Amino acid sequence: MTTTHTTSVPRHSGLTRLAHGALALAIITQLASSQFMIPEEPGKVANSAFEVHEYGGLAAFAFMLVFWLALTTRQFGTAPATLFPWFSGDRLSALWADTKSHAASIMRLKVPPYEPASALAGAIHGLGLIIATLMAASGTLYYFVNAGDPDGGGLVALAMNVHRTFGNLAWAYLILHATTGVIYHYASDMSLRDMWSVRGHSQKG
């Protein structure tokens, strides 16, 4: 079933689109390389997949910093408070109402209407940003404190435990995020080209 909305798809700044695209590709590369890598450990030599994962992780952390810069300095797009509604009673109320509205549509086997300012969508994007940030930051920390033993204590253990935990969550988020985007691309007038377009705005015809 096709849904429509009257609000045009909001434009994203060039920095936001650049950081989003680079970060998305970096995360996909990281998750894919993690399935084939052999890390450097006592008695083991790292393979090329691990090197891709290692240096790709550093790049992902850099892209993450750019994304946060874009988020805090942009003049339009989703407001940071929408991404992180957890400290506002009004925004939590809006999130709960939006969640119930989405659940009601799904229970009727309908695609919830696409709304650019959706409280639920904003909160989910915020959670994804937190997951990616913690994964990239912990991997970068591990790169600088690891002495060749991933099971070492102290910061090594902390970095690896956080990295593994949020790496698993990143898989779940990536699948959910991509699937939802494809569904709305074909079931509404929201276009995925809006975020990926060089011009930054694309309306489905």
Side-chain angles (χ1 to χ4, degrees):
M1 178 177 180
T2 300
T3 62
T4 60
H5 64 81
T6 58
T7 304
S8 61
V9 178
R11 294 178 182 270
H12 301 280
S13 70
L15 186 59
T16 297
R17 286 180 283 109
L18 175 63
H20 179 269
L23 187 58
L25 292 175
I27 290 175
I28 291 173
T29 299
Q30 290 303 94
L31 293 176
S33 61
S34 69
Q35 303 304 300
F36 306 100
M37 68 182 189
I38 299 176
E40 183 177 359
E41 299 177 7
K44 290 185 179 180
V45 178
N47 64 358
S48 58
F50 178 74
E51 294 183 356
V52 169
H53 189 82
E54 191 173 45
Y55 294 112
L58 297 177
F61 183 70
F63 296 144
M64 181 60 67
L65 294 179
V66 174
F67 197 95
W68 277 104
L69 175 64
L71 176 64
T72 55
T73 61
R74 65 190 182 188
Q75 302 299 313
F76 46 85
T78 305
T82 302
L83 299 176
F84 311 108
W86 318 111
F87 308 103
S88 167
D90 290 340
R91 290 193 178 277
L92 285 175
S93 296
L95 174 59
W96 176 239
D98 200 24
T99 300
K100 290 192 294 182
S101 176
H102 277 71
S105 294
I106 294 173
M107 291 297 292
R108 296 195 300 270
L109 301 181
K110 295 181 179 180
V111 176
Y114 171 72
E115 295 293 342
S118 166
L120 178 60
I124 292 175
H125 278 90
L127 288 174
L129 183 56
I130 291 173
I131 291 171
T133 299
L134 289 173
M135 186 175 68
S138 61
T140 300
L141 176 61
Y142 178 79
Y143 175 83
F144 287 107
V145 301
N146 176 41
D149 182 7
D151 297 318
L155 283 177
V156 173
L158 175 63
M160 183 51 61
N161 288 334
V162 171
H163 194 66
R164 286 171 175 166
T165 298
F166 285 94
N168 293 332
L169 291 176
W171 271 111
Y173 180 82
L174 178 64
I175 294 171
L176 175 63
H177 189 54
T179 301
T180 302
V182 171
I183 289 174
Y184 273 99
H185 180 81
Y186 289 104
S188 75
D189 61 345
M190 186 279 288
S191 174
L192 289 174
R193 290 188 297 272
D194 177 61
M195 178 57 79
W196 296 98
S197 170
V198 174
R199 294 175 299 175
H201 184 75
S202 178
Q203 191 76 27
K204 288 174 67 174

